[in-house]
Amino acid sequence: MLKIEYPIICGGMFQVGRAPLAAAVSEAGGLGIITSKTQATPERLRDEIRKVKSLTKKPFAVNLNLFPSQTATPNADFIDILVDEDVKIVETSGRSPEGLMPKLKEHGFTVIHKVASVKNAISAEKLGVDAVIIVGNETGGHPGMGDVGTLVMLPRVVDSVSIPVIAGGGFSDGRGLVSALSLGAEGIVMGTRFMATKEAPIHDHVKDWMVSANEMDTVVIQRNIGSPSRVALNAVSKEVDRLENEGATIEALIPLITGQRSKKVYFEGDLDGGIWSCGQSVGLIKEILTVDELIKQIVHEAHNSLESVQTRLESIRT
C-alpha cells in the first residue's frame, strides 16, 4: 500500500518531524513523516516538502494534526499544498478525521489515522481510512484516556477491523517488530526511538539523556484536562503532575504545557525547558545510530528473533 521496503514508520512528531529525519527514514526503506503543525503555515509546509524531495525520491507522508490547539491549524490549506506537491500519503492524529475525509479521498490520498482505542479504530474504518495506527499506553505523546498497553490493545483492534493495523507504543527494536507482526499488525510506528538518531533535528543533550534514561523516566500528565500526554520526566512535568494532583485548572497549566516551551528542550538542549513527548521505549535505547543503521539493525534483529522463536517452537513440539 505504501510502496516501502520495510514495515517501519516514523510517526509524526511535533517540532521533531522535519525534512532531515523524514527523508532519512524513507531513504532507508521505511516511511518518514513530516508534521504540518510544526511548519505553521501552508507555504512553510511547501518548503519543507520540497526539502524532503531534494533528499529522497522515495515515498513519505505528512501528518495533519487534529488535536485541540491554542492556534488555528489550517488543515484544509495544508491539503491544498499536499495536492500541489503530489504528496500521496497522510497520517491524521487527534480527533476524528471525518471533516477532512471527503477532500482527502477526492484527491486519492492514502489515509492512515492514529487512534488509542478499539472504538475509535472502528469509527475510523467506517469513515474510509485506509489503515489505522493503534497506540498503547506505552506511547510517547497521546496514549488516550485508557491505560491499556499495546500487548492487549493491538490484537483487540486487529480483531475488530478489516483494514491494515499498524502498531505503536513501546517499539524500538527487531524483537518488537516481530512481536507486533505476530499479534496481527502489518508494521510498527516508532517515534521515541527515531528521536535518538543522528538525523533527528534535536540537541545532543536530549539524545544523551535518552541513552541514559530507563523505562521509569516518563510520566503521563494532562489527564485532568482530558488530553493525556506521556512525556519525559523532568522538573516541568513533575510540577504539572503536582498541580494536577492538587486540582489545577487548564488555565493554570497552560503556561507550563505550551508546546512552544519544548523548543528550549529540542533546540537549546535545556532538559528542563518544557515538557516533551517521550515513550517508555526510551528504556530500550542504548546508542545513537544513523537512521539507516537503526533500520538495518531492526531488520537483522527481527530475523534473529524469529529464528529463535522458531527454534523454541520446535523444541516444544518434540
Side-chain angles (χ1 to χ4, degrees), residues 98-307:
E98 183 174 6
L100 302 182
M101 287 302 294
K103 191 168 186 176
L104 290 172
K105 299 317 290 185
E106 175 190 350
H107 291 284
F109 286 96
T110 296
V111 182
I112 307 170
H113 185 57
K114 185 180 293 182
V115 299
S117 71
V118 176
K119 177 182 177 181
N120 289 339
I122 293 171
S123 296
E125 181 179 32
K126 290 178 180 177
L127 290 176
V129 306
D130 299 282
V132 290
I133 296 168
I134 178 64
V135 294
N137 187 250
E138 303 93 328
T139 193
H142 299 278
M145 290 297 289
D147 291 321
V148 182
T150 305
L151 186 64
V152 171
M153 186 66 77
L154 172 56
R156 281 282 289 121
V157 171
V158 168
D159 291 344
S160 301
V161 300
S162 59
I163 56 177
V165 177
I166 303 157
F171 297 103
S172 69
D173 57 24
R175 296 170 298 178
L177 174 57
V178 170
S179 69
L181 297 178
S182 70
L183 291 170
E186 299 294 336
I188 58 173
V189 165
M190 301 190 305
T192 300
R193 185 62 190 93
F194 278 121
M195 289 173 65
T197 58
K198 292 181 179 178
E199 291 89 344
I202 58 178
H203 201 283
D204 284 346
H205 287 177
V206 180
K207 298 177 186 181
D208 292 341
W209 179 90
M210 296 178 79
V211 171
S212 66
N214 65 48
E215 66 279 3
M216 302 300 292
D217 288 326
T218 71
V219 62
V220 177
I221 59 173
Q222 300 177 200
R223 288 186 185 276
N224 287 12
I225 61 174
S227 181
S229 183
R230 185 176 292 282
V231 299
L233 194 63
N234 66 6
V236 183
S237 60
K238 289 177 182 177
E239 178 66 5
V240 172
D241 190 44
R242 182 187 70 80
L243 290 171
E244 286 193 274
N245 288 331
E246 295 175 356
T249 63
I250 186 171
E251 289 77 16
L253 295 177
I254 282 177
L256 294 172
I257 64 177
T258 174
Q260 294 302 312
R261 288 189 59 163
S262 65
K263 291 181 179 180
K264 292 188 66 177
V265 180
Y266 292 138
F267 309 128
E268 298 177 26
D270 180 357
L271 295 174
D272 289 318
I275 61 169
W276 54 284
S277 297
C278 184
Q280 290 179 328
S281 63
V282 71
L284 300 172
I285 298 172
K286 305 303 179 188
E287 57 187 337
I288 308 299
L289 301 172
T290 67
V291 166
D292 186 66
E293 289 169 340
L294 175 61
I295 289 181
K296 286 178 178 175
Q297 182 181 88
I298 289 172
V299 173
H300 179 71
E301 289 173 346
H303 283 292
N304 287 345
S305 180
L306 185 57
E307 288 176 4

Side-chain angles (χ1 to χ4, degrees), residues 36-55:
S36 58
K37 184 69 173 178
T38 298
Q39 300 308 316
T41 69
E43 285 308 312
R44 283 176 56 186
L45 176 60
R46 187 194 302 276
D47 291 341
E48 199 72 8
I49 288 170
R50 290 180 176 178
K51 288 179 186 176
V52 177
K53 289 180 176 180
S54 72
L55 296 169

